[in-house]
Amino acid sequence: MKNSDLKKFVEVGANECKILVVGDVMLDKYYFGEVTRISPEAPVPINKVVEIKETLGGAANVAHNLALLGCKTFLISRIGRGNHGETLLKKLNSRGIDGTGILQTDKRTTTKIRIISGHQQMLRLDFEDTAEIDGADEKNLLENFSARIKNVDAVIISDYGKGICTEKICREIISRCRQEKKIVVVDPKGNDWQKYFGASFITPNLKEFNLILPKKISNVDDEIEISAKKIIEQFNLSGLVVTRSAKGLSLIDGEKISHIKAKAQEVFDVSGAGDTVISVFALALAGGLDSIQAAYLANAAAGVVVAKVGTYAVDSAELLKTLEI
């Protein structure tokens, strides 16, 4: 595999792709500080906040990765009508992500607040409403999907279990993608993969993969390969990409099998790495790269992300730099 081909795609090819992301969006808020003393009110550390950061999370982070790599990106989801939803929409707009397919509802926008001292997370506060979308909202979401599917090269389903990726929605999206001969890649949640039946690829981490297996497997090439082939047949998939933390990732796609090692480096935070893998993998497929090239590029991008603190989206310059190493 030539890095020059991958570099050419990152520099030029990604700009010609259009991808639609459907899934659960979130707003990630970080309070970075320093702990130097214990509170006199209770035996808890006092974190003196020195920086506040807000980033796109969940499916919005998938879209963010795509946009930073030059891809024309469309996002379908739901948010609440409060300040968190407004902040999320502003961030999407500022990054050139088309969020016109996002429904505004009375449900609260999923927001995760993390309190961090140095590189250590001390506390997380979650604000969310995980009730499944239904009725008129479900109908409107699928109409928004139908209005966009013909104009994109690929679809990503980013399932975080927050109510968007119902069985009906996943099944209809995958069925329509097959009719339109569009690539559809899924980042799964939970142990019900029947709703993803017929997808092109699914990209679980090893923990998520073990949830659907009759017997837990270890983080070993042969075990992953054998189990993946059975799951591909069971759910009528083209292939699987299993992310394996410090061991990189494995691609199983028919006769194409590749176990790609992670780049040796210090890992600060794995949050958001799965978002990066699915976005770069789907983007590369949409741009005409084969699945092994796409998996290699996705692994390289994930290596950038895990070296950062907090949810992070990789841009073209960073990805090109890591391909030179």
Side-chain angles (χ1 to χ4, degrees):
M1 184 185 309
K2 296 180 180 179
N3 273 13
S4 58
D5 294 336
L6 301 181
K7 289 178 184 177
K8 183 178 180 180
F9 170 74
V10 174
E11 291 171 337
V12 180
N15 296 317
E16 300 173 355
C17 297
K18 297 178 182 179
I19 295 183
L20 172 60
V21 181
V22 182
D24 305 290
V25 297
M26 306 176 194
L27 180 66
D28 286 340
K29 299 187 70 172
Y30 295 87
Y31 291 83
F32 296 96
E34 301 171 347
V35 174
T36 57
R37 62 194 180 100
I38 301 299
S39 171
E41 303 167 359
V44 295
I46 296 174
N47 190 359
K48 183 180 179 182
V49 176
V50 295
E51 181 185 0
I52 300 173
K53 181 181 177 182
E54 295 178 325
T55 62
L56 296 167
N61 186 43
V62 175
H64 191 193
N65 275 275
L66 291 167
L68 284 181
L69 292 171
C71 174
K72 176 61 179 174
T73 308
F74 304 85
L75 180 58
I76 293 176
S77 187
R78 73 171 174 193
I79 59 170
R81 294 189 173 88
N83 291 334
H84 290 168
E86 291 176 4
T87 298
L88 197 148
L89 282 179
K90 287 178 182 178
K91 288 189 172 296
L92 292 174
N93 290 335
S94 71
R95 287 152 178 76
I97 298 167
D98 186 332
T100 55
I102 295 176
L103 307 178
Q104 287 188 288
T105 72
D106 293 329
K107 307 295 184 183
R108 70 171 72 186
T109 302
T110 298
T111 304
K112 298 180 179 180
I113 297 176
R114 297 171 175 89
I115 313 299
I116 297 174
S117 175
H119 291 148
Q120 182 64 48
Q121 185 176 152
M122 300 173 62
L123 180 68
R124 195 177 95 178
L125 305 174
D126 287 8
F127 300 83
E128 62 183 16
D129 187 332
T130 59
E132 288 193 346
I133 193 169
D134 59 10
D137 288 338
E138 187 174 56
K139 179 175 180 291
N140 290 336
L141 187 147
L142 287 171
E143 287 176 350
N144 288 345
F145 171 79
S146 294
R148 291 162 176 78
I149 179 61
K150 288 184 178 294
N151 298 318
V152 300
D153 304 302
V155 174
I156 293 174
I157 297 175
S158 178
D159 190 351
Y160 271 83
K162 307 302 181 186
I164 288 293
C165 301
T166 64
E167 182 172 354
K168 179 179 178 180
I169 285 174
C170 289
R171 283 181 176 275
E172 291 205 18
I173 287 174
I174 292 169
S175 175
R176 185 67 185 278
C177 285
R178 289 173 71 93
Q179 290 174 16
E180 300 289 343
K181 294 181 170 51
K182 307 287 186 179
I183 298 162
V184 55
V185 188
V186 180
D187 190 355
K189 190 71 173 180
N191 60 2
D192 177 18
W193 280 26
Q194 198 61 41
K195 65 180 179 179
Y196 310 134
F197 187 91
S200 304
F201 289 87
I202 300 182
T203 63
N205 59 38
L206 185 60
K207 180 180 178 181
E208 291 167 336
F209 190 44
N210 267 315
L211 285 176
I212 62 158
L213 298 178
K215 182 180 179 181
K216 185 176 180 179
I217 62 172
S218 301
N219 197 358
V220 177
D221 292 355
D222 289 347
E223 292 187 28
I224 290 172
E225 187 176 322
I226 292 169
S227 297
K229 288 179 178 178
K230 293 177 181 177
I231 294 301
I232 288 168
E233 182 177 359
Q234 180 180 347
F235 294 104
N236 191 29
L237 311 172
S238 296
L240 278 171
V241 176
V242 182
T243 56
R244 302 170 55 188
S245 191
K247 290 193 174 182
L249 59 78
S250 293
L251 167 78
I252 298 88
D253 174 14
E255 297 303 314
K256 296 177 184 177
I257 297 171
S258 184
H259 303 288
I260 304 169
K261 296 185 182 300
K263 291 182 178 294
Q265 63 180 332
E266 188 171 4
V267 176
F268 285 112
D269 193 342
V270 297
S271 62
D275 298 336
T276 299
V277 167
I278 194 171
S279 59
V280 176
F281 181 73
L283 176 59
L285 292 179
L289 298 186
D290 68 32
S291 57
I292 291 180
Q293 290 175 311
Y296 183 89
L297 195 62
N299 185 64
V304 176
V305 172
V306 298
K308 310 291 183 179
V309 177
T311 305
Y312 188 83
V314 63
D315 62 26
S316 298
E318 290 172 304
L319 187 49
L320 287 168
K321 185 176 180 180
T322 197
L323 290 174
E324 293 171 358
I325 298 174

